[in-house]
């Protein structure tokens, strides 16, 4: 260490010396600076080199003069900048965190003291003037002229400014008051005089300098570290009337308290000497024994008597102490505040949107360092608050005023909250980041709320859309509940709780006003859904071979197996009896290996079966399942015969065509863990979720500091407690002794007149309590406990009302007489055959009504029965199907399979009555039907006569399928009426589509056949999606080609869309036309069928197919282009029910006769149409229940 000190001293001496105001550098000055950089690189954990350089004041006496006077020496200037960046590095980065060890903490405080001295030395215009000039010259260089050394120097200058601003102020040493110039203020003024602030504004607004955006944002956040945006916005405008009234109210509170203290001191002065104070007995107040308390002081001190006088206060462990406030706000000197106000105004006008966009891009692309998003959220909270307080202009903050920003802040807030719970060592740091995110969220809500009061209609509409999305999503509504429930005063300071209460108040106020303006609000609701496991169906019978066939098979295999068993050359090395890639463990693959042996024997592969048996014996030797290691050939033959004749369980192989569908279904079942639905939002139901002791306790904790709280914070507390007590009628939720003590303190406060709202609320709660105590004497005991909603109900409505009002109330107690009667009845009827013994007992127990479950459990409790399973009901329903019943079901199906209601006729005529679901499952198991839809009831419905172009009228039958009768019976009346309205709407829609025939023909003549075909395919695709998914929502018609885009702008084409029922886009919020949600799949197919050109299609079908081999006719590629739309139109006809079975069969034969390559259509529309066509042939058009989406979810930036 001594040698190191000598080297450091010699190196510092070789830098130069300061004489007068001029610094004379030594010849080895550059090498000495580089040596100091090298020493700093190799310092130990105590940062000894840094401490010695700080104690020698190298930066103040040598480095700063070199920086200001030898700027022309570029190598020396660069080296000095590097050294200064290293020396001014924050102490937290040097030590990693605040050390807990006293020795290391001492070194930490020493480094911090040196940093504060560096900051004071930099508070001069000269140093920042040199840095500003150098930075200006570097920024003047274009990107083609800027070298790598220039970019490094720019970054080092920005880091040096960041390090200097980052040094915390020493409040004990400075002892500055408000409106006085602190070191930080002097530093900001030097930045302003040197022009560094203009360079920061240029870097923020320039698109070519976006690589420095994070450095600039960090510097700006450190500049405004001690400032409040509301105070800066009001600088230079004079004192507002509201501020003056607030100050007057605070002074009046202080005056009233001072007068009360003077009056109390005057009352404490006795007439006699203090030695004659006397002793008094306090009646009604017991001491430790049975006697009354003896008070040895004057009567004027009696009101301050407490049993805790003289006791040692209980020491609170450090880990349980409340978190301390770290952020300190102070009012800077006036000229600095004016400079900062002008900087904020110019930054908002020119730099905020581009800088925040660049920073957000860096964060999303992970180009930033860890936790750099905190600077982004600080800037959002600060500048949006300044914008609201100065002159509200939403365009200045439009970059961060979007749903994406809400989502970004909410995700980070949730992440910080989760990390605070998991990373306990850094919980305080995560709590501070959580507070920053909460402030940003609060300002986002406040800005949206301010937009509601803006006179511009466009701004108010943008606010409505943002609120639509916020209130619709469940995550934003659940956020405040989660933050309150996980609030921990050990990590969160009082300011966090204050901001949380104010933000919750603002959110509830906006939500309540929004609900009142909307009438009814549909919101998203998420419910956890249990994962479904993969279903594996086992087949009990391995194969259908009779015993005679197996004997014949074995006689043919026996000789070959015996020969193979006697051959010594039979190798088992290449045979592996298990599947190494299978998810099933190797130990559990024995049965599969035995199945493989059986398959080899059935296939006549004797050597493979014997080799597989011997290989399995080596893999699974335990238990001698595959024979002992010393088994003889004869025993091997007997073992193989047993395997051949055994009935082994086999996994059922899926059908090749359905394999992909099953994989997709399994993936969907694994992913759909959370089920999302919609429900109507009720504000009071949401407010009831705040009625819990955890949230009320947090509000009471903040109310304890009502003297330090602002008037707005006290109003937010009183409003929330009033909502719970008055709006929900849960005054008893606030009947708690600690809260009543706080009310007593508030009512006895000399300045109680300043808290009128809190005093009024306290009197209201106390009045409700004493009114309840007159009826319920136990209310005084209930004061000792925090309560939930069920206890509140019992307190107000009577104890036991909760049990009597619920369906699962407590069972009445069994009396000795009832137990004796129960025992007698059980012993008398337990051996009687026929009726159930429990039912018999229940018939005789008439004194107190009992349930079957209560009787069974009490019998087990009395020891009369061993288990509840002894009293299982005897099955009255037939579960297993006999062979005769299966034959009867098959006969009934063949008899009624051509009728309109196959399942209904079967249910009427079947002998063994079963449920519809059982019958359907058995029909599927027997293979009589391939899917459930084939059993639905069909009814024939005729389309309205359509007038063709030639004046002919034709009626075609369309099949429409009803849902199952169980679904119809389970529907409520309102849904049944909706289905009837859908059918009526379908008839109207059909007539409107027929009236659109002329429009279609006119558009075809104008050359819009392709857009009509695109419209028709879109309608069919929408019908297929609604049939498969079972839910309906508005689907936009997005034109992807230029031709379709021009057609959507055509007035005649738009008139056709309106005729067909397509909804036009909403003004200002939607771009595309939409297929409304109210149209069912049946109606969509009717509309699509009305768009087809029947005459041209019929002529095209009648034309013979050209021969590719004949000259002059179409080539195969041209024939493919012709057949593809022909197949498409044929599929569309089948969907609409406009093709007879004969024509359909003819079309299918022609299609099958085409080459295979020509059947591969490269369009998803045709694939969808083919699937839809198959569904239409089997008559599977369904009526689905309507699903409303009343909340727009447009995600637009404003």
């Amino acid at each position: 260490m001594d040698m190191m000190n000598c080297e450091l001293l010699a190196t510092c001496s070789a830098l130069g010396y300061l004489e007068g105001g001029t610094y004379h550098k030594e010849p080895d000055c550059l090498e000495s600076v580089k040596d100091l950089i090298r020493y700093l690189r190799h310092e130990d954990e105590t940062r000894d080199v840094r401490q010695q350089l700080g104690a020698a004041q190298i930066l103040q006496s040598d480095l700063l003069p070199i920086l200001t006077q030898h700027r022309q020496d570029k190598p020396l200037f660069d080296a000095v900048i590097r050294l200064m960046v290293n020396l001014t590095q924050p102490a937290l980065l040097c030590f990693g965190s605040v050390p807990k060890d006293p020795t290391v903490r001492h070194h930490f405080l020493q480094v911090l003291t040196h940093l504060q001295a560096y900051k004071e030395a930099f508070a001069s215009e000269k140093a920042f003037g040199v840095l500003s000039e150098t930075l200006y010259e570097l920024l003047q260089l274009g990107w083609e002229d800027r070298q790598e050394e220039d970019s490094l120097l720019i970054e080092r200058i920005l880091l040096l400014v960041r390090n200097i601003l980052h040094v915390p102020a020493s409040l004990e040493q400075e002892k500055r008051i408000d409106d006085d110039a602190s070191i930080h203020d002097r530093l900001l003024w030097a930045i302003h005089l040197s022009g560094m602030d203009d360079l920061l504004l240029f870097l923020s607004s320039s698109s070519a300098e976006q690589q420095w955006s994070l450095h600039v944002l960090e510097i700006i956040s450190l500049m405004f570290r001690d400032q409040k945006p509301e105070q800066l916005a009001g600088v230079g405008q004079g004192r507002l009337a509201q501020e003056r009234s607030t100050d007057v109210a605070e002074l009046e509170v202080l005056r009233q308290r001072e007068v009360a203290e003077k009056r109390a001191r005057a009352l404490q002065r006795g007439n006699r000497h203090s030695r004659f104070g006397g002793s008094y007995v306090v009646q009604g107040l017991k001491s430790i024994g049975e006697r009354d308390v003896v008070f040895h002081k004057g009567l004027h001190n009696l009101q301050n008597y407490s049993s805790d006088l003289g006791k040692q206060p209980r020491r609170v462990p450090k880990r349980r102490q409340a978190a301390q406030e770290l952020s300190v706000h102070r009012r800077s000197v006036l000229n600095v505040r004016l400079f900062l106000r002008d900087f904020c105004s110019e930054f908002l006008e020119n730099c905020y949107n581009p800088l925040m966009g660049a920073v957000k891009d860096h964060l999303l692309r992970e180009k930033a360092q860890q936790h750099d998003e905190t600077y982004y959220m600080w800037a959002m909270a600060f500048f949006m608050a300044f914008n609201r307080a100065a002159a509200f202009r939403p365009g200045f903050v439009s970059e961060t005023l979007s749903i994406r920003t809400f989502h970004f802040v909410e995700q980070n807030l949730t992440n910080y909250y989760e990390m605070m719970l998991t990373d306990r060592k850094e919980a305080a740091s995560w709590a501070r980041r959580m507070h920053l995110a909460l402030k940003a969220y609060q300002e986002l809500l406040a800005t949206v709320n301010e937009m509601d009061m803006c006179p511009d209609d466009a701004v108010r509409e943008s606010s409505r859309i943002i609120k639509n999305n916020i209130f619709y999503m469940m995550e934003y509504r659940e956020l405040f509940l989660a933050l309150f429930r996980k609030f921990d005063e050990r990590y969160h300071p009082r300011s966090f709780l204050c901001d949380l209460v104010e933000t919750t108040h603002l959110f509830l106020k906006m939500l309540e006003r929004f609900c009142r303006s909307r009438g009814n609000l549909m919101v998203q609701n998420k419910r956890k859904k249990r994962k479904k496991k993969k279903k594996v169906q086992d087949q009990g019978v391995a194969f259908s071979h009779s015993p005679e066939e197996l004997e014949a098979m074995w006689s043919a295999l026996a000789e070959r197996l015996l020969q193979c068993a006697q051959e010594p050359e039979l190798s088992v090395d290449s045979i592996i009896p298990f599947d190494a890639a299978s998810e099933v463990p190797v130990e559990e693959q024995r049965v599969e290996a035995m199945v493989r042996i059986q398959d080899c024997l059935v296939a006549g592969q004797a050597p493979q079966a014997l080799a597989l048996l011997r290989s399995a014996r080596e893999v699974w030797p335990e238990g001698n399942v595959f024979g002992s290691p010393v088994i003889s050939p004869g025993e091997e033959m007997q073992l193989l015969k047993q395997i051949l004749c055994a009935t082994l369980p086999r996994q059922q192989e899926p059908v090749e065509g359905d394999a992909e569908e099953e994989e997709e279904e399994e993936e969907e079942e694994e992913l759909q863990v959370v089920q999302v639905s919609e429900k109507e939002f009720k504000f009071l139901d949401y407010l009831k979720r705040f009625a819990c002791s955890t949230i009320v306790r947090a509000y009471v904790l903040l109310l304890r500091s009502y003297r330090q709280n602002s008037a707005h914070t006290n109003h937010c507390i009183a409003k929330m407690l009033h909502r719970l007590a008055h709006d929900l009628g849960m005054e008893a939720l606030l009947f708690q002794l600690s809260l009543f003590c706080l009310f007593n303190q508030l009512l006895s406060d000399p300045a109680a007149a300043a808290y009128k709202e809190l005093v009024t609320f306290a009197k209201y709660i106390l009045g409700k309590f004493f009114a309840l105590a007159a009826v319920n004497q136990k209310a005084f005991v209930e004061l000792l406990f925090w309560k939930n909603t069920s206890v509140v109900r019992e307190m107000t409505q009577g104890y036991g009302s909760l049990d009597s009002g619920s369906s699962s109330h407590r069972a009445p107690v069994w009396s000795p007489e009832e137990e004796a009667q129960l025992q007698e009845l059980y012993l008398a009827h337990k051996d009687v055959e026929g009726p159930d013994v429990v039912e018999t007992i229940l018939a005789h127990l008439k004194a107190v009504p009992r349930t079957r479950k209560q009787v069974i459990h009490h019998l087990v409790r009395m020891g009369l029965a061993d288990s509840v399973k002894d009293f299982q009901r005897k099955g009255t329903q037939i579960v297993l199907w006999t062979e005769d019943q299966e034959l009867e079901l098959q006969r009934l199906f063949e008899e009624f399979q051509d009728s309109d209601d196959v399942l209904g006729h079967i249910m009427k005529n079947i002998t063994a009555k079963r449920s519809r679901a059982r019958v359907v499952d058995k029909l599927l198991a027997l293979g009589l039907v391939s899917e459930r839809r084939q059993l639905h009831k069909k009814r024939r419905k005729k389309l309205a006569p359509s007038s063709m172009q030639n004046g002919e009228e034709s009626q075609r039958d369309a099949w429409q399928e009803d849902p199952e009768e169980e679904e119809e019976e389970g529907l409520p009346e309102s849904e049944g009426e909706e289905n009837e309205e859908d059918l009526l709407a379908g008839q109207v829609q059909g007539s409107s589509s027929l009236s659109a025939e002329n429009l279609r023909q006119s558009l075809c003549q104008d050359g819009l056949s392709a857009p009509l075909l695109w419209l028709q395919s879109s309608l069919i695709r929408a019908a297929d999606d609604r049939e498969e998914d079972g839910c309906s929502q508005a689907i936009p018609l997005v034109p992807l080609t230029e031709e379709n885009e021009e057609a959507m702008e055509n007035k005649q084409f738009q008139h056709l869309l309106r005729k067909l029922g397509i909804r036009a886009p909403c003004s200002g919020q939607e771009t595309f036309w939409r297929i409304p949600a109210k149209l069912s799949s049946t109606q969509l197919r009717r509309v699509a069928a009305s768009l087809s050109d029947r005459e041209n299609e019929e002529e095209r079908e009648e034309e013979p197919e050209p021969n590719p081999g004949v000259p002059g006719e179409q080539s195969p590629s041209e024939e493919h282009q012709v057949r593809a739309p022909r197949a498409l139109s044929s599929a569309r006809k089948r969907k609409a029910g406009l093709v007879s079975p004969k024509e359909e069969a003819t079309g299918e034969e022609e299609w099958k006769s085409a080459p295979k390559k020509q059947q591969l259509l490269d369009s998803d529309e045709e694939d969808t149409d083919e699937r839809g066509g198959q569904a239409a042939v089997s008559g599977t058009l369904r009526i689905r229940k309507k699903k409303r989406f009343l909340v727009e979810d447009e995600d637009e930036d404003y």
Side-chain angles (χ1 to χ4, degrees), residues 138 279 387 459:
L138 293 174
S279 298
N387 183 44
V459 174

Side-chain angles (χ1 to χ4, degrees), residues 272-291:
R272 297 196 300 172
H273 196 270
S274 60
R275 286 178 296 178
F276 304 100
S279 298
Y280 304 91
V281 176
V282 183
Q283 293 183 357
L285 186 62
K286 299 296 182 181
S287 61
I288 298 177
E290 293 297 329
R291 298 180 179 180

Side-chain angles (χ1 to χ4, degrees), residues 817-833:
E817 293 80 8
E818 290 177 334
E819 289 184 348
Q821 183 185 7
L822 177 65
Q823 182 176 3
E824 181 183 354
L825 290 172
Y826 177 72
L827 295 176
H829 295 89
K830 70 174 184 177
D831 298 328
V832 177
E833 296 183 0

Side-chain angles (χ1 to χ4, degrees), residues 979-993:
N979 290 337
E980 292 176 6
E981 291 174 5
D982 289 344
L983 293 176
L984 294 175
Q987 296 174 1
V988 175
Q989 185 65 34
S991 61
S992 64
S993 62

Side-chain angles (χ1 to χ4, degrees), residues 743-809:
F743 285 163
N744 182 40
Q745 179 184 352
L746 176 65
L747 295 174
S748 60
D749 194 336
Y755 312 105
K756 293 181 180 180
E757 190 175 15
L758 292 177
V759 170
T760 305
F761 180 73
K763 292 180 179 179
Y764 169 75
I765 294 297
L766 292 173
K768 290 290 184 180
F769 170 75
F770 289 117
L772 178 64
V775 180
N776 183 9
Q777 294 295 329
K778 297 180 181 178
F780 294 98
V781 183
E782 296 283 2
L783 283 175
L784 302 175
F785 309 100
W786 293 99
K787 289 163 280 295
N788 53 22
T789 54
S790 59
V791 176
V792 167
R793 181 179 173 184
E794 286 193 333
M795 283 181 61
T796 55
Q797 300 181 8
Y799 295 97
S801 59
L802 186 65
D803 295 335
S804 61
S806 61
S807 59
S808 58
H809 57 273

Side-chain angles (χ1 to χ4, degrees), residues 293-414:
V293 171
V294 178
F295 189 67
H296 297 282
K297 293 184 179 181
L299 291 176
H300 56 274
N301 292 321
L302 181 60
Q303 60 180 357
N304 297 325
Y305 173 78
S306 174
S307 301
D308 295 331
L309 290 175
K311 295 180 181 179
Q312 289 291 335
R314 186 174 59 179
R315 180 180 173 273
V316 180
K318 191 174 182 180
R319 66 178 183 275
R320 294 183 182 177
Q321 293 178 1
Q324 301 295 324
E325 297 286 348
L326 297 178
S327 59
V328 178
H329 295 285
R330 62 178 301 276
R331 192 166 58 242
S332 301
V333 69
L334 180 59
N335 56 350
V336 174
R337 282 185 286 150
L338 289 172
F339 148 63
L340 292 177
R341 183 202 64 185
D342 297 338
F343 183 89
C344 281
S345 301
E346 192 171 353
F347 180 81
L348 273 173
E349 187 174 357
N350 301 315
C351 310
Y352 180 83
N353 286 333
L355 179 65
M356 298 298 279
V359 171
K360 183 70 173 294
D361 182 69
H362 287 331
L363 293 175
L364 295 179
R365 296 178 183 272
E366 298 182 354
K367 295 181 181 179
Q369 295 181 358
Q370 194 176 15
H371 309 313
D372 275 351
E373 72 276 358
T374 55
Y375 297 106
Y376 177 82
M377 287 184 285
W378 173 89
M380 188 190 312
F382 187 88
F383 289 106
M384 292 180 82
F386 182 87
N387 183 44
R388 282 192 305 107
F392 181 65
R393 296 181 181 177
F396 286 176
V397 292
S398 59
E399 176 63 34
T400 55
L401 201 58
S402 64
I403 300 300
R404 294 186 183 92
T405 310
F406 272 95
H407 178 70
F408 177 79
V409 176
E410 187 267 336
Q411 288 293 315
N412 280 280
L413 188 57
T414 307

